[in-house]
Amino acid sequence: MQGLPKCMRFYGHMLGRKMSKIIIDSKNLDVEEGITILQAALQSGIYIPHICHHPDLKPSGSCRLCIVEIEGLRGYPVSCATAVKDGMVIKTNTSEIKRIRKNLIWLLLSNYHGEPRSDTLLKKVVDYIGVSNFHIELEKKPRNLPIKSNDPLFTMDQNLCILCERCVRICHDVRGAGIVGYINKGIDTVVSTAYDSSFKDADCRFCRACVEVCPSGALSDKKPFLEHERDLKLLPCKNTCPAGIDIPRYLELTAEGRYQDAIEVIRETVPFPHVLGLTCAHPCEKVCLRAEVNEPIAINPVKRFLAEQDNKRWINKLKIAPDTGKNIAIIGSGPSGLTAAWFLRLLGHSITIFEKQPKVGGAMRLIPDYRLPKSILDKEINEILSIGIDIKTNTRIDSPHRLLKKGFHAVYISIGASKALKMGIPGEDSPRVLNGLTVLNSLSYRNSVDFSGDVIVVGGGNVAVDTARSLIRKTTGSITILYRRTMDEITAHPEELIAALKEGVMVQFLVTPVKITPVGDKLHIECLKMQLLESSNQGGRKKPVPVIGTEFTIETDYLVMAVGQTPEISAEMNIDTDKKGLIIVNDEMATSHPGIYAGGDVVMGSSNIIISIQEGRKAAQSIDKFLGGSGKIGQRLIPEKIDNPWMGREEGFCYQSRAKMPEKDVSAVISNFGLIELGYDEKLVRHESKRCLRCHLRLAITKTNHLIRR
């Protein structure tokens, strides 16, 4: 029982074990029969110093610091490996035990380099026992071994190792990897890999369980973190995802071939898994710790595969709560509005969505088909509407207050940012100067544009790149993007820009237009070269400034401005906005008018789909609470399972490359709007999901050090 992880040990205690009466330090205790003296003491608030013991590991007694006296028994047995028996009388802190512990501490520290680190369990135990009154004739003989820091994620300093076996036992007995063990003999004994090779070459899977249980600092994270940052730093994918999708859980299910279970895990959090699988900005991949080993997990392509395999079993699992009698109006049908509608309807509220366009989807409908086919978007929108959500298209709502007067109990404004910004330069009002949103709207609703020839697109966001890639499929002229910063600062998805370059879009960085002059049926674009200067705000983006005397002119047929968007809010809305024209809300997404909420791009400015989805989730929580509910959204579609801590060993694990996305040849894509990336097959998705480091397993290890890691 003791060697099992805590989640499995729990069930053993539920089986109705017999109780034993014992006495520890004159305190009468009733404890479970069969547990160890150390367990009994700790459960009763009696501290016995220990280092080698860990509740998730089988006892070894190697440090011997947890020795006790047992009435009627000779010697000083270790409490971590001695089971309680009825009638035992135990002493934990006699003068002789204290003396022995001091000598044991000296033995542990005899080879330790320097003083114990302040953030370690070793330091806590040393301070408890006290380091004075050591035998004067005994001197420390610290080793001078090189620190091993060439492996990713953690460092090994054998000079700080006290041979407690914790790392060895968890690697062997819990993870099943057997990467670390004792090498050499006698006073030269150290913990290391076989043949003292690097961890990467020893087939380590970098689960870092060894780091978690190390009490002395011999094994430590390369990137330190404070205790309150623990979840974020150890499980960055899930904690960086704006919507909090349980990424480790669905990757593990995918690795096991449980694809339907995996997609249902995603659907517990978001109603757009297929849309996200094709378009998500995937901030999770940017922080994936596998990247520090070699390459990040392809989290988003795995999500796409799962969505493509979905057999819709989850539909029969959905539970719509009884009718609450509350009616909610949602203005705008983008990802934020649809997400709010989905979760609020599941809570039993009646939902009506008002959309000014003829079709539902908001900004998602402007994404070109080579990234997001309309058939996939419509499929997931229809699944959302199918649970009983009313939709009124071609209906513009300018006053949320009127909706409240008509009987709606709450209104959620999620109209996005649909008004294109201008640069404010001379000639910008020329008929041959368009904006990116207009172009994408034409392509989305009419599948055509009313011009051809050479086009310059100004901007560095997704609208700019989407416009450029769309036009190269629709016009016969050249397409050039002008961007006033460098490729490192571009806000479009980097892979989208790379694809644009492959398709023939030209990009000029550190360039901005300053004047537009119509000349016949052409435009002369006067430009300046730019340079980036450090921002006055610490950590802010570098500021582009003109380089005087670098003027040059470009001739083109059309120019498309894609320099940003802002919400289009009429005065009739009667809603407080800030100086950027964004609606002002509090932490609960409520405006200053009771019952009126706002979220998504209309509050944040232009963002992305996954952030907008989270805004919709948060709005659903707040509105439900406003209407008297608990604010608890989402449904468990797949039961939580007990994580199997066993990982085993896999040859060459650290050198496994990220699965390459199959895609069509460039020559086959620039003449149409078909999907370019073909998606993973089962072989690739299993390979990719198995590359996961399973970081969540480290968080499942019982925490004993109570450290602040520095």
Side-chain angles (χ1 to χ4, degrees):
M1 179 69 67
Q2 176 146 1
L4 295 175
K6 62 179 178 182
C7 52
M8 299 177 69
R9 292 199 311 272
F10 170 78
Y11 293 98
H13 297 312
M14 300 294 288
L15 300 179
R17 293 184 146 218
K18 295 180 180 179
M19 305 300 286
S20 297
K21 293 183 179 294
I22 64 173
I23 299 173
I24 301 180
D25 293 342
S26 302
K27 187 175 182 179
N28 293 299
L29 303 173
D30 288 326
V31 300
E32 289 178 87
E33 184 179 297
I35 67 172
T36 67
I37 294 172
L38 180 59
Q39 286 176 311
L42 295 176
Q43 290 173 9
S44 304
I46 300 171
Y47 178 66
I48 300 176
H50 57 278
I51 288 181
C52 67
H53 167 77
H54 189 282
D56 294 353
L57 304 175
K58 295 177 182 178
S60 70
S62 60
C63 74
R64 294 196 56 80
L65 290 173
C66 67
I67 56 172
V68 294
E69 288 184 11
I70 302 175
E71 191 174 280
L73 188 68
R74 296 177 60 184
Y76 299 96
V78 289
S79 60
C80 68
T82 304
V84 298
K85 291 183 179 179
D86 195 57
M88 268 187 174
V89 178
I90 303 156
K91 295 179 181 179
T92 71
N93 218 17
T94 66
S95 57
E96 182 60 15
I97 288 175
K98 290 180 180 179
R99 184 191 68 81
I100 295 172
R101 283 182 184 148
K102 289 180 184 292
N103 288 334
L104 291 170
I105 279 290
W106 180 88
L107 288 172
L108 286 176
L109 296 178
S110 60
N111 293 126
Y112 192 90
H113 183 77
E115 294 298 316
R117 278 179 19 194
S118 61
D119 60 352
T120 61
L121 176 64
L122 177 61
K123 173 64 174 173
K124 176 181 176 181
V125 172
V126 167
D127 288 348
Y128 177 85
I129 293 174
V131 294
S132 59
N133 299 321
F134 282 158
H135 293 300
I136 297 175
E137 66 274 13
L138 299 177
E139 295 182 3
K140 289 181 66 175
K141 296 181 179 179
R143 299 166 175 172
N144 188 24
L145 300 172
I147 297 174
K148 298 183 177 182
S149 58
N150 291 330
D151 279 301
L153 295 174
F154 65 86
T155 296
M156 172 181 268
D157 185 352
Q158 293 165 321
N159 301 295
L160 305 182
C161 181
I162 56 174
L163 302 180
C164 67
E165 286 189 298
R166 272 186 169 198
C167 60
V168 175
R169 284 179 287 150
I170 201 163
C171 188
H172 282 247
D173 301 340
V174 177
R175 291 291 186 259
I179 301 298
V180 292
Y182 289 143
I183 64 172
N184 303 331
K185 294 182 179 180
I187 61 173
D188 294 323
T189 299
V190 293
V191 171
S192 187
T193 59
Y195 307 107
D196 207 22
S197 64
S198 70
F199 280 87
K200 289 185 75 169
D201 291 332
D203 302 326
C204 177
R205 296 186 64 172
F206 289 91
C207 69
R208 288 151 292 138
C210 56
V211 179
E212 185 63 28
V213 300
C214 177
S216 67
L219 292 161
S220 60
D221 294 294
K222 278 192 170 180
K223 293 183 178 179
F225 54 87
L226 298 175
E227 191 58 31
H228 71 273
E229 302 175 305
R230 180 178 178 78
D231 281 10
L232 175 61
K233 298 298 184 181
L234 294 185
L235 197 59
C237 60
K238 178 180 178 180
N239 290 294
T240 300
C241 173
I245 299 173
D246 196 342
I247 294 166
R249 188 164 158 234
Y250 83 69
L251 285 178
E252 186 170 5
L253 290 169
T254 303
E256 295 171 2
R258 296 168 58 184
Y259 306 136
Q260 189 58 35
D261 289 350
I263 188 61
E264 290 178 14
V265 166
I266 299 170
R267 277 200 163 271
E268 291 175 352
T269 309
V270 298
F272 289 106
H274 207 164
V275 169
L276 285 174
L278 291 165
T279 66
C280 186
H282 48 75
C284 53
E285 293 185 25
K286 295 178 178 67
V287 297
C288 175
L289 294 178
R290 174 77 201 208
E292 297 185 37
V293 177
N294 60 350
E295 297 173 285
I297 304 297
I299 297 170
N300 217 45
V302 171
K303 189 189 295 103
R304 172 184 169 179
F305 171 87
L306 296 172
E308 290 169 346
Q309 307 303 309
D310 187 5
N311 64 20
K312 312 300 180 185
R313 181 185 69 183
W314 54 271
I315 293 176
N316 294 324
K317 295 183 179 183
L318 285 179
K319 296 178 181 178
I320 301 176
D323 185 12
T324 64
K326 305 294 185 181
N327 299 312
I328 302 165
I330 295 177
I331 308 174
S333 67
S336 181
L338 287 170
T339 299
W342 171 262
F343 286 110
L344 286 167
R345 180 68 194 113
L346 291 177
L347 292 173
H349 305 304
S350 295
I351 310 296
T352 302
I353 300 175
F354 298 92
E355 170 56 55
K356 69 177 182 179
Q357 296 288 355
K359 294 184 179 180
V360 181
M364 293 186 293
R365 193 159 290 281
L366 302 186
I367 299 174
D369 278 32
Y370 58 78
R371 287 180 58 204
L372 176 60
K374 299 299 182 288
S375 59
I376 291 174
L377 175 62
D378 289 337
K379 169 182 67 86
E380 294 201 320
I381 288 175
N382 289 334
E383 288 169 352
I384 292 172
L385 300 180
S386 70
I387 63 173
I389 295 170
D390 291 331
I391 179 75
K392 296 185 183 299
T393 55
N394 293 309
T395 305
R396 183 185 180 97
I397 300 294
D398 285 321
S399 174
H401 306 279
R402 285 204 203 102
L403 292 174
L404 292 178
K405 290 178 181 178
K406 287 182 178 180
F408 286 100
H409 298 92
V411 178
Y412 179 49
I413 304 171
S414 57
I415 58 176
S418 58
K419 181 180 178 181
L421 293 174
K422 293 186 176 183
M423 292 187 67
I425 61 176
E428 197 170 13
D429 294 327
S430 167
R432 289 178 173 268
V433 178
L434 310 171
N435 71 71
L437 294 179
T438 299
V439 174
L440 293 178
N441 263 291
S442 296
L443 289 168
S444 176
Y445 289 99
R446 295 190 291 110
N447 193 29
S448 66
V449 289
D450 298 327
F451 60 88
S452 62
D454 297 338
V455 182
I456 287 177
V457 180
V458 182
N462 284 318
V463 171
V465 177
D466 282 349
T467 300
R469 294 184 68 191
S470 297
L471 289 177
I472 208 163
R473 289 162 167 76
K474 282 292 184 181
T475 68
T476 57
S478 65
I479 310 297
T480 304
I481 293 176
L482 303 183
Y483 183 52
R484 61 179 183 163
R485 291 184 167 92
T486 70
M487 188 168 182
D488 291 336
E489 285 81 29
I490 203 163
T491 56
H493 300 169
E495 56 267 34
E496 297 301 320
L497 180 62
I498 292 170
L501 293 170
K502 287 181 181 178
E503 292 166 3
V505 174
M506 295 176 284
V507 182
Q508 292 190 36
F509 294 105
L510 293 172
V511 170
T512 190
V514 293
K515 184 178 179 181
I516 303 167
T517 304
V519 179
D521 58 357
K522 299 284 185 179
L523 293 175
H524 286 190
I525 315 300
E526 186 176 325
C527 301
L528 272 176
K529 293 185 178 180
M530 309 292 283
Q531 62 180 336
L532 296 181
L533 300 181
E534 293 295 334
S535 171
S536 57
N537 299 324
Q538 187 174 5
R541 294 178 78 193
K542 291 182 178 180
K543 182 180 179 181
V545 296
V547 179
I548 304 302
T550 60
E551 297 86 350
F552 65 98
T553 300
I554 306 175
E555 184 179 271
T556 188
D557 293 297
Y558 290 89
L559 184 142
V560 178
M561 289 289 187
V563 293
Q565 302 107 253
T566 190
E568 190 174 6
I569 301 173
S570 67
E572 201 176 355
M573 274 275 184
N574 190 23
I575 292 290
D576 294 334
T577 58
D578 62 17
K579 61 183 180 181
K580 295 181 179 179
L582 305 175
I583 294 178
I584 299 171
V585 297
N586 63 16
D587 290 342
E588 297 298 317
M589 304 182 73
T591 69
S592 58
H593 304 273
I596 299 178
Y597 293 76
D601 290 359
V602 76
V603 168
M604 302 178 298
S606 182
S607 58
N608 58 51
I609 294 176
I610 188 64
I611 292 176
S612 294
I613 286 174
Q614 177 55 14
E615 287 278 291
R617 285 171 50 83
K618 187 177 177 182
Q621 293 172 318
S622 297
I623 293 171
D624 183 58
K625 286 189 285 187
F626 170 75
L627 297 175
S630 66
K632 185 178 180 180
I633 65 170
Q635 296 180 12
R636 179 68 71 188
L637 299 175
I638 297 297
E640 285 278 14
K641 67 169 188 171
I642 298 173
D643 286 316
N644 181 3
W646 192 269
M647 295 182 70
R649 194 171 191 157
E650 188 170 348
E651 185 176 352
F653 175 79
C654 292
Y655 297 100
Q656 293 173 356
S657 299
R658 176 180 168 118
K660 187 177 180 180
M661 172 62 72
E663 58 183 38
K664 297 175 184 175
D665 187 79
V666 172
S667 61
V669 301
I670 58 173
S671 60
N672 61 72
F673 279 74
L675 271 176
I676 299 168
E677 295 183 337
L678 301 175
Y680 284 168
D681 59 18
E682 185 172 4
K683 180 180 178 181
L684 289 176
V685 86
R686 290 289 290 274
H687 162 86
E688 194 58 28
S689 55
K690 287 180 179 180
R691 292 177 62 241
C692 177
L693 302 182
R694 299 180 71 190
C695 301
H696 62 293
L697 292 182
R698 177 171 172 182
L699 288 171
I701 297 171
T702 302
K703 193 170 179 302
T704 59
N705 286 13
H706 305 294
L707 311 179
I708 296 179
R709 298 181 185 272
R710 303 188 191 283

